[in-house]
Amino acid sequence: KNKELEFLSVNDIQISLDDMEDYISYMTSETDLNNKSINQSVSSIKELLRYLKLKKLTNEIDFLDHIDRLPENNNNKHGVLTVNETLELANLARTKERNLKEVKYYLILFALDTCLRKQAILNLKWSDFEVREDFVIVNAIDKGNKSFRKQISKEFYEELLTIRKENDERVFPISKDAVDEMIPRLRKLMNLPEERGIVFHSIRKAGVTFQYRLTNDIIQAQKAAGHSNISTTMLYIQEEDYSLTGAISSKNVDETLFEKVSHEELVEALKEL
């Protein structure tokens, strides 16, 4: 309900089947929880509602018997796209989609650039942008009613303005269903196997992974993702981590090697960092 516990009212705890189905749908499409974790969460809510019913605080909850457990023989993990794959996805949306081509193109680019979740992006209004001298701030409300301030370039903002419609305050005037239906079509055009689990959320993962590779700093990637727990960020970044070289293995490292190479070799080395 996006409220602190002490502010909940009796009316807030009148949960319907639609509420539960929306919640389960949100967890499966917008989070990285596996089916086992989702089932545990749903079971906890069921038990709470049954207790509240015994206390005569809720209405009928017979619908709980119609909520089936999700199969736990798959990990339900969303795949990660590379930046280049995401750019190809955007270009395909621009050239192959029948409707709202430009909106879909910039929606994908915006998701990659800001690492915001789908619903937060779809909720954005033009009034949520603060134009500064050299950049633009995006004020967004994301998962858990958290406020986020993201920075985009002024050039990208000016590109976004090309899709602005008169009398429509929404930045991306497109429905959630239209976005969800678009991804399988684009995935098929790119010949991406279904086993990779590519969904719209995969674009956010691409953005977070890019931040990590750019900085080699997991804290910066965590900030980009807006995660409160760094272990969640680690799930996004599919990098092989061999850790640091130990004291014994490092003893033959030449710490003055940079003084012995040419300027061209230094430039090439810096390019690879």
Side-chain angles (χ1 to χ4, degrees):
K1 294 295 180 175
N2 292 323
K3 291 184 178 182
E4 295 296 329
L5 186 61
E6 60 267 28
F7 297 112
L8 282 176
S9 67
V10 171
N11 188 54
D12 288 329
I13 58 176
Q14 307 310 312
I15 307 296
S16 68
L17 178 59
D18 286 342
D19 292 330
M20 290 297 293
E21 288 179 342
D22 287 346
Y23 179 58
I24 294 168
S25 175
Y26 166 77
M27 287 193 288
T28 55
S29 64
E30 298 288 325
T31 76
D32 291 290
L33 295 173
N34 58 33
N35 285 356
K36 182 176 181 181
S37 297
I38 294 172
N39 286 336
Q40 289 172 343
S41 180
V42 171
S43 293
S44 297
I45 294 171
K46 283 182 175 181
E47 289 307 308
L48 174 60
L49 290 174
R50 290 184 177 113
Y51 172 76
L52 294 174
K53 176 65 175 173
L54 290 173
K55 300 288 285 185
K56 299 182 179 179
L57 290 171
T58 63
N59 298 327
E60 285 306 316
I61 56 170
D62 292 343
F63 66 86
L64 293 179
D65 296 329
H66 298 281
I67 299 174
D68 297 325
R69 292 177 64 84
L70 297 174
E72 296 182 8
N73 56 352
N74 64 73
N75 60 12
N76 198 43
K77 291 295 181 186
H78 306 318
V80 183
L81 288 165
T82 67
V83 170
N84 286 338
E85 285 176 333
T86 306
L87 295 177
E88 184 180 351
L89 202 75
N91 285 321
L92 284 170
R94 195 180 209 177
T95 56
K96 300 297 183 181
E97 286 291 293
R98 290 183 179 179
N99 303 311
L100 300 171
K101 295 182 178 184
E102 291 295 299
V103 171
K104 291 174 180 177
Y105 170 73
Y106 283 110
L107 174 73
I108 292 170
L109 294 187
F110 190 85
L112 176 65
D113 202 42
T114 62
C115 304
L116 286 168
R117 292 177 177 83
K118 174 174 57 185
Q119 196 56 55
I121 296 173
L122 295 180
N123 288 341
L124 275 179
K125 298 178 180 179
W126 290 107
S127 56
D128 293 324
F129 291 95
E130 294 177 23
V131 181
R132 303 289 178 85
E133 186 175 348
D134 299 317
F135 55 88
V136 176
I137 297 294
V138 184
N139 296 293
I141 304 296
D142 211 336
K143 177 185 172 186
N145 218 23
K146 282 185 183 177
S147 296
F148 286 93
R149 287 170 65 81
K150 301 284 187 175
Q151 179 178 308
I152 64 173
S153 70
K154 207 161 186 181
E155 292 76 15
F156 185 36
Y157 173 70
E158 288 168 356
E159 283 189 55
L160 287 175
L161 288 174
T162 62
I163 63 171
R164 186 169 187 173
K165 292 186 178 295
E166 194 175 350
N167 300 321
D168 195 337
E169 184 60 14
R170 294 174 300 165
V171 178
F172 299 101
I174 186 173
S175 70
K176 176 180 175 294
D177 288 343
V179 175
D180 290 338
E181 290 164 4
M182 167 186 69
I183 296 298
R185 290 194 295 268
L186 300 181
R187 188 176 63 205
K188 187 175 181 181
L189 287 171
M190 288 179 64
N191 294 317
L192 296 175
E194 197 169 331
E195 299 76 51
R196 278 189 62 181
I198 299 302
V199 294
F200 190 83
H201 199 70
S202 303
I203 301 169
R204 169 174 154 82
K205 287 188 170 186
V208 175
T209 302
F210 170 78
Q211 290 295 331
Y212 177 72
R213 291 178 178 173
L214 181 70
T215 62
N216 202 31
D217 185 347
I218 190 64
I219 301 299
Q220 291 302 317
Q222 181 187 12
K223 287 180 181 178
H227 290 146
S228 54
N229 192 327
I230 202 167
S231 62
T232 307
T233 311
M234 292 299 295
L235 292 173
Y236 276 46
I237 300 164
Q238 297 187 352
E239 300 279 352
E240 290 188 274
D241 184 5
Y242 298 111
S243 193
L244 299 174
T245 306
I248 302 302
S249 297
S250 300
K251 65 182 180 181
N252 293 321
V253 172
D254 184 354
E255 294 184 355
T256 63
L257 181 63
F258 69 94
E259 297 174 351
K260 304 171 186 177
V261 298
S262 68
H263 175 265
E264 290 76 17
E265 288 173 313
L266 277 177
V267 170
E268 288 304 311
L270 288 170
K271 285 180 179 178
E272 294 181 11
L273 289 177

